[in-house]
Amino acid sequence: KNNPCSGNLYGDCLDVKVTSQCNANCGFCIEREGWNPLHIKTADEIADVINNHPAKKVLFLGGEPLLYPYLDRIINQLDIGKSTFITTNGLLLNKAMADKFHNLTAMNISIHHYLERENDNILQIKDQHARSNYKMLQSAIKVLNNFNVSVRINCNLVYSGINTYDKMLRMITLAKELGAEEIKF
């Protein structure tokens, strides 16, 4: 109930933190010092807990939830009637991964600059092999759209990044080019 990222979009929603690991180090991350469970449940146990929870909406978070290797398994085991959402930085999202999320309702992708290099600087990427790749992201979003998964870009307005009206317009253009249905600043 106290998650500032949920806003009014999710309403009665169960937030599920599947991992504390992240491939970025964003200065504004609300989960940096967040809750880290001592006992990690298996994918089957997580799906069972979610299915037995009364919330109709489920938001998968991390760290970076796409680092959790069985996320698709959890989502595919959820009862019909559960709306499922993932919030990701998108660094790992590609066509093959997107193809695993048939039962997903929506994906929120955090992109904080229209230039890949600047987005990487804002994310403070930990993994030297991970980099923003908007062409790869565009291909993945196309796959998600084919499964009727809606995509929203989340963009934090930070002084070193998107900090003017013109830059906001450029972010809106990027969101459209990527195939996102919506952008949230």
Side-chain angles (χ1 to χ4, degrees):
K1 291 182 179 179
N2 295 325
N3 182 348
C5 294
S6 291
N8 296 329
L9 176 67
Y10 299 108
D12 182 25
C13 181
L14 176 64
D15 293 354
V16 179
K17 182 175 182 177
V18 291
T19 182
S20 297
Q21 296 177 342
C22 191
N23 51 1
N25 190 29
C26 305
F28 45 80
C29 180
I30 64 168
E31 280 298 323
R32 181 186 314 248
E33 301 298 324
W35 177 70
N36 294 304
L38 297 176
H39 171 69
I40 305 298
K41 295 184 178 302
T42 66
D44 294 338
E45 290 171 326
I46 294 170
D48 190 48
V49 168
I50 294 169
N51 283 330
N52 288 308
H53 193 279
K56 296 293 182 201
K57 296 178 184 175
V58 182
L59 175 60
F60 291 96
L61 304 162
E64 171 51 49
L66 297 184
L67 284 170
Y68 183 73
Y70 308 110
L71 184 58
D72 59 321
R73 182 174 174 169
I74 294 170
I75 291 171
N76 290 331
Q77 290 184 56
L78 296 183
D79 293 340
I80 295 173
K82 295 272 189 193
S83 297
T84 55
F85 305 83
I86 296 173
T87 296
T88 174
N89 61 31
L91 295 174
L92 299 173
L93 189 60
N94 57 40
K95 285 170 67 171
M97 182 174 286
D99 194 41
K100 296 178 179 182
F101 295 116
H102 303 183
N103 297 332
L104 191 63
T105 304
M107 184 173 286
N108 307 305
I109 304 171
S110 298
I111 302 176
H112 307 293
H113 205 282
Y114 50 86
L115 296 175
E116 293 170 338
R117 181 184 75 250
E118 293 301 320
N119 190 58
D120 291 348
N121 289 337
I122 293 168
L123 293 177
Q124 299 178 41
I125 298 172
K126 295 176 186 177
D127 181 354
Q128 63 186 9
H129 302 293
R131 294 285 174 251
S132 296
N133 183 333
Y134 294 163
K135 286 280 189 212
M136 185 172 69
L137 204 51
Q138 183 180 42
S139 297
I141 291 170
K142 191 174 285 187
V143 170
L144 292 168
N145 288 335
N146 287 340
F147 292 123
N148 295 317
V149 175
S150 66
V151 176
R152 178 179 79 185
I153 303 300
N154 291 336
C155 177
N156 285 350
L157 303 176
V158 295
Y159 184 74
S160 62
I162 305 303
N163 57 10
T164 67
Y165 181 74
D166 288 338
K167 289 180 179 180
M168 287 177 72
L169 291 178
R170 290 177 78 175
M171 275 302 300
I172 292 169
T173 299
L174 173 65
K176 287 179 183 177
E177 289 171 356
L178 292 175
E181 296 175 30
E182 183 180 356
I183 186 166
K184 177 183 175 186
F185 290 102

